[in-house]
Amino acid sequence: MFAAYLSSGLFLGWSLGANDASNVFGTAVGSRMIRFRTAAIYCSIFVILGAVISGAGASHTLGKLGSVNAIAGAFIVAFAAGFSVYLMTRARFPVSTSQAIVGAIIGWNMFSGSVTDLTSLTKIVSTWIFCPILAGIFSILLYLLTAWVIRTLKIHMFKLDALTRWSLLLAGIFGSYSLGANNIANVMGVFVPVAPFESISFLAFTFSSAQQLFLLGGIAIAVGVFTYSRHVMETVGRGIFDLTPVAACVVVWSHSLVLFIFSSQTIERWLQAHGLPSLPLVPVSSSQAIVGAVIGIGLLKGGRAIRWRTVAGITSSWVVTPVIAAIISLISLFFLQNVFQQETYHPVHYSLDRETLTYLDRQGIPTKHLKELLWQEYPNAVAFKKAVESVTPLDREAVARVIRAASLDNLKITKDKLDQLTSSSLTPAQLEALRSLEGRIFLHRWQFEQALARKSSEFRPRPGDPAHNARIESLLQFLYVKFRQ
């Protein structure tokens, strides 16, 4: 059944390959410096590598926007996003799968009564504006630097042509890797919370549940590149501004740098270690990056040759795409749940008890007025959020923490489910800690989390070790799905 539901994610991956992935080699193919077949082969290989090796960073932020908790719901969210991108691809507009998946998730949040995390939404939407601007700035600076090097070294025309081809190929490879690392979250991110896969150990490597999903998504992207990306490549490569081979090379490097910056956990850790502000790890739009870079070159040339009508058409499609995706998501969820009787979301109720108030007190959240809500049960997060805001003026982050603490998750640690766990996904100490909780029932996730942390240090987060903390968070998410009633 999970494989059948996963088909919509693979469809979305195919759509991304047909639309966004073509941006990586679009200018190279459009300027006829690299053949389409060569570009498709390299793009496919490195998209898959980027997705599996570095895809975890951006998917984390997308998961915060809305945690789809039923496999049928994840199916519809991915389908709505994929179908929206397909419609825009038919119109030959390089739209963003990031915008499509965000619109589809918001549609699921509205249908299920879940709260949309406005902090994560603001972070993602801000990159929709910042990403093309940053790509445009990179392309202008790189073009000026490249022109200076060519003038200074007086490179012969034939040698310059050969260097440009190699540079385009390397830029495309780098861009493909960055695209896989950044955009795989759009394709498989909604399936991560409900995936039933356990980790697989092979030689010295361990493939987590998320990495197995990312591998499947990367293969789907590769199929999309081969089968349906040529038309969008031509729009990007020649539709906005006629690019010289050197300018095409600069555009791809600029695009690739932007995607890499927004997906690299290494850069994020380096900036944090040196006390510098880090960039958010979010799935940005490769289409917006490539269009921003092309426009940057056009502006540097005076701006008169830019086909602004094409730019306006592309920009309007960026605005329309999330709206279309949200509407398709809402309508499809309604039919799947009410006509086909499929559970598109797992209902989560919310209630405050004294133990939860004590927990929130220790977190530094004022609970004086929250006592008015004691023992009352709310059918969804939206209703509970309204109740909290009606009794106390907490800020947005504090309200989000109260909602997380009050969710009734009903986790039951049973022997049959413990027996299904293997040593490939858990360490011996973690398995022992879990087995010691056999028979226990936890109303809230935080109670389960604290009980595990008391039993074993291998369940405790470590300050200054984001890689370890991310592994623990991923493992806990897997256990929530496993033991949820």
Side-chain angles (χ1 to χ4, degrees), residues 161-215:
D161 183 75
L163 288 173
T164 303
R165 286 177 192 274
W166 276 107
S167 184
L168 275 169
L169 186 61
L170 291 175
I173 288 172
F174 176 47
S176 300
Y177 184 90
S178 301
L179 181 71
N182 189 281
N183 274 210
I184 193 65
N186 297 334
V187 176
M188 288 292 162
V190 292
F191 291 97
V192 171
V194 292
F197 302 145
E198 292 190 29
S199 299
I200 298 174
S201 295
F202 179 71
L203 297 178
F205 302 98
T206 299
F207 292 95
S208 66
S209 168
Q211 284 177 312
Q212 294 168 53
L213 282 172
F214 294 166
L215 174 61

Side-chain angles (χ1 to χ4, degrees), residues 12-46:
L12 179 58
W14 175 85
S15 300
L16 189 146
N19 194 301
D20 288 33
S22 62
N23 297 332
V24 175
F25 278 103
T27 50
V29 173
S31 60
R32 303 190 187 283
M33 294 295 285
I34 294 178
R35 291 185 304 167
F36 172 76
R37 185 178 178 80
T38 304
I41 291 172
Y42 280 104
C43 185
S44 301
I45 293 171
F46 284 92

Side-chain angles (χ1 to χ4, degrees), residues 343-418:
E343 184 187 55
T344 56
Y345 65 92
H346 181 76
V348 178
H349 291 209
Y350 292 79
S351 181
L352 285 171
D353 50 35
R354 294 201 182 280
E355 191 180 357
T356 303
L357 287 184
T358 304
Y359 168 75
L360 289 171
D361 261 335
R362 289 200 297 267
Q363 302 291 312
I365 295 175
T367 58
K368 178 181 176 183
H369 298 291
L370 289 175
K371 292 177 181 174
E372 298 177 31
L373 307 179
L374 267 175
W375 313 120
Q376 297 181 43
E377 190 166 324
Y378 298 86
N380 56 52
V382 171
F384 180 64
K385 180 171 181 280
K386 286 180 181 175
V388 170
E389 290 175 338
S390 70
V391 297
T392 181
L394 295 175
D395 62 36
R396 185 191 300 171
E397 176 59 26
V399 170
R401 290 165 68 183
V402 172
I403 292 173
R404 281 197 295 272
S407 69
L408 297 172
D409 299 291
N410 295 318
L411 306 167
K412 187 173 183 181
I413 316 303
T414 59
K415 185 176 185 308
D416 60 324
K417 292 184 177 177
L418 283 170

Side-chain angles (χ1 to χ4, degrees), residues 23-24 135 175 250-260 286 289-290 293:
N23 297 332
V24 175
V250 167
V251 163
V252 180
W253 276 112
S254 304
H255 151 274
S256 306
L257 282 171
V258 170
L259 259 66
F260 186 72
S286 65
I290 204 79

Side-chain angles (χ1 to χ4, degrees), residues 22-302:
S22 62
N23 297 332
V24 175
F25 278 103
T27 50
V29 173
S31 60
R32 303 190 187 283
M33 294 295 285
I34 294 178
R35 291 185 304 167
F36 172 76
R37 185 178 178 80
T38 304
I41 291 172
Y42 280 104
C43 185
S44 301
I45 293 171
F46 284 92
V47 158
I48 293 172
L49 290 176
V52 175
I53 297 172
S54 304
S59 67
H60 185 66
T61 302
L62 196 63
K64 286 183 178 178
L65 180 65
S67 184
V68 182
N69 61 9
I71 183 61
F75 168 81
I76 289 297
V77 168
F79 168 78
F83 192 61
S84 305
V85 173
Y86 172 74
L87 291 177
M88 290 301 171
T89 304
R90 292 280 296 175
R92 299 192 177 191
F93 286 125
V95 297
S96 164
T97 51
S98 303
Q99 292 160 336
I101 197 71
V102 166
I105 289 175
I106 290 174
W108 182 87
N109 285 346
M110 293 169 67
F111 186 78
S112 64
S114 301
V115 174
T116 299
D117 186 341
L118 293 180
T119 302
S120 298
L121 181 61
T122 303
K123 192 183 292 184
I124 292 172
V125 171
S126 67
T127 65
W128 295 354
I129 301 168
F130 191 53
C131 170
I133 294 174
L134 188 62
I137 293 171
F138 278 174
S139 70
I140 290 172
L141 295 177
L142 282 176
Y143 188 83
L144 291 173
L145 177 64
T146 305
W148 178 80
V149 170
I150 293 172
R151 280 198 310 272
T152 304
L153 299 180
K154 296 178 181 175
I155 302 173
H156 190 274
M157 183 175 63
F158 292 118
K159 190 173 182 181
L160 178 62
D161 183 75
L163 288 173
T164 303
R165 286 177 192 274
W166 276 107
S167 184
L168 275 169
L169 186 61
L170 291 175
I173 288 172
F174 176 47
S176 300
Y177 184 90
S178 301
L179 181 71
N182 189 281
N183 274 210
I184 193 65
N186 297 334
V187 176
M188 288 292 162
V190 292
F191 291 97
V192 171
V194 292
F197 302 145
E198 292 190 29
S199 299
I200 298 174
S201 295
F202 179 71
L203 297 178
F205 302 98
T206 299
F207 292 95
S208 66
S209 168
Q211 284 177 312
Q212 294 168 53
L213 282 172
F214 294 166
L215 174 61
L216 295 172
I219 293 171
I221 295 171
V223 174
V225 173
F226 267 101
T227 56
Y228 214 77
S229 65
R230 186 185 290 267
H231 291 315
V232 182
M233 278 192 183
E234 290 171 353
T235 298
V236 172
R238 296 198 289 261
I240 299 173
F241 181 80
D242 289 326
L243 293 168
T244 65
V246 172
C249 182
V250 167
V251 163
V252 180
W253 276 112
S254 304
H255 151 274
S256 306
L257 282 171
V258 170
L259 259 66
F260 186 72
I261 287 172
F262 281 105
S263 57
S264 174
Q265 292 174 303
T266 303
I267 292 178
E268 183 192 44
R269 285 196 289 270
W270 185 86
L271 290 171
Q272 290 174 345
H274 290 79
L276 298 171
S278 60
L279 293 168
L281 298 183
V282 297
V284 296
S285 165
S286 65
S287 301
Q288 289 178 322
I290 204 79
V291 170
V294 172
I295 292 175
I297 296 291
L299 290 174
L300 190 64
K301 298 285 187 181

